[in-house]
Amino acid sequence: LSAPARLPLKVGLPREHRCVVRSPSVSTSVCMSADIDVKEYIKIFGRLGEKRLFGDSSAGLCCHSACPDCEWRYSFDILQSARPKWIPTYRENKFEDGREHLAKWGEMFEENEVSLDKDQFCLRLAALKFEMPLGPAGFLTAKQAEISQDALDAFWGHMSRGKPTLSPKQMQIRLKKMLEVADGNEGVMWPDFIDTLTADDDDAQPESPHLDEPIVIS
């Protein structure tokens, strides 16, 4: 039998036939949020979560009897829970009648303090009292709730977005972005919190300008 015909080898392929392989984009952040054990995020949520949430102050005028023609029948001025359920997206909320609420995360910023750096943020977050929140499965006691440094680093990276400091205003913005529906919603609950932190968020991670250069194979 004769040997099969050999196709001629083309040394230089036209540009349009070349294969372009891009090297993977590698994040320069120390720790990706999605790499952290979910239990670590329970420890964070249990520190920032609240049993009380201030909403629309005008809803306090409603009798909440589900009157069909009432615009506030599904709105409440104050929501309350037996266990921490919400992280307020506000630092402070004050009603005209004098009632006010300062979020736990707001206490991390001292009076007249413009921003926190990473060390301050992580230290003060870890120092907040933990209480098992509503939402996650299982149960953790305060003695089991020490946060790992990797989790603190990852949470800082998500909230600061690679900046050296974090202001109260930036904290509010990051929390509001966790909400699936932001309109009229003042509190982040566990599903939105954990979905945000464990989702792939490549667009938010800083990348080296040289890591996406094409490698051309002729």
Side-chain angles (χ1 to χ4, degrees), residues 134-210:
L134 282 176
F139 192 87
L140 291 174
T141 65
K143 291 183 178 180
Q144 299 171 315
E146 182 178 349
I147 312 173
S148 71
Q149 189 59 50
D150 282 348
L152 290 169
D153 291 344
F155 190 62
W156 164 260
H158 180 85
M159 301 305 287
S160 69
R161 279 309 194 241
K163 296 181 179 179
T165 59
L166 180 70
S167 69
K169 182 64 175 179
Q170 291 167 331
M171 183 81 171
Q172 284 182 270
I173 292 172
R174 294 308 313 152
L175 288 171
K176 283 183 178 294
K177 285 184 177 293
M178 290 184 180
L179 295 171
E180 184 176 354
V181 179
D183 292 344
N185 197 344
E186 298 284 358
V188 176
M189 294 195 293
W190 171 252
D192 287 332
F193 182 79
I194 193 61
D195 286 351
T196 301
L197 293 174
T198 55
D200 291 332
D201 208 356
D202 295 334
D203 291 340
Q205 301 296 334
E207 297 178 355
S208 167
H210 304 295

Side-chain angles (χ1 to χ4, degrees), residues 11-214:
V11 177
L13 290 174
R15 172 177 286 275
E16 62 271 19
H17 291 165
R18 294 180 183 180
C19 175
V20 178
V21 179
R22 294 188 179 274
S23 56
S25 298
V26 180
S27 169
T28 58
S29 63
V30 175
C31 186
M32 289 288 288
S33 297
D35 295 333
I36 304 300
D37 192 301
V38 171
K39 286 188 295 186
E40 296 298 320
Y41 287 129
I42 296 175
K43 299 172 186 178
I44 293 175
F45 191 84
R47 281 171 165 81
L48 298 176
E50 307 263 359
K51 297 179 181 179
R52 185 173 59 162
L53 183 73
F54 274 34
D56 183 358
S57 60
S58 61
L61 303 174
C62 179
C63 66
H64 297 297
S65 299
C67 303
D69 58 344
C70 178
E71 62 179 296
W72 294 300
R73 64 186 181 277
Y74 298 123
S75 300
F76 295 87
D77 53 346
I78 298 177
L79 296 173
Q80 299 191 66
S81 172
R83 280 160 52 187
K85 184 177 180 180
W86 309 275
I87 301 177
T89 58
Y90 55 81
R91 182 183 183 182
E92 184 178 12
N93 199 343
K94 183 181 294 186
F95 290 167
E96 292 182 0
D97 60 10
R99 291 176 296 169
E100 60 181 328
H101 181 222
L102 177 65
K104 286 174 67 176
W105 66 260
E107 299 174 8
M108 296 168 57
F109 297 86
E110 296 179 357
E111 188 175 359
N112 300 322
E113 195 166 35
V114 177
S115 62
L116 301 178
D117 61 24
K118 179 182 177 181
D119 290 340
Q120 292 172 315
F121 179 86
C122 293
L123 185 64
R124 295 179 191 181
L125 173 58
L128 292 177
K129 181 182 178 181
F130 170 83
E131 188 173 350
M132 185 64 194
L134 282 176
F139 192 87
L140 291 174
T141 65
K143 291 183 178 180
Q144 299 171 315
E146 182 178 349
I147 312 173
S148 71
Q149 189 59 50
D150 282 348
L152 290 169
D153 291 344
F155 190 62
W156 164 260
H158 180 85
M159 301 305 287
S160 69
R161 279 309 194 241
K163 296 181 179 179
T165 59
L166 180 70
S167 69
K169 182 64 175 179
Q170 291 167 331
M171 183 81 171
Q172 284 182 270
I173 292 172
R174 294 308 313 152
L175 288 171
K176 283 183 178 294
K177 285 184 177 293
M178 290 184 180
L179 295 171
E180 184 176 354
V181 179
D183 292 344
N185 197 344
E186 298 284 358
V188 176
M189 294 195 293
W190 171 252
D192 287 332
F193 182 79
I194 193 61
D195 286 351
T196 301
L197 293 174
T198 55
D200 291 332
D201 208 356
D202 295 334
D203 291 340
Q205 301 296 334
E207 297 178 355
S208 167
H210 304 295
L211 290 176
D212 202 31
E213 293 180 349

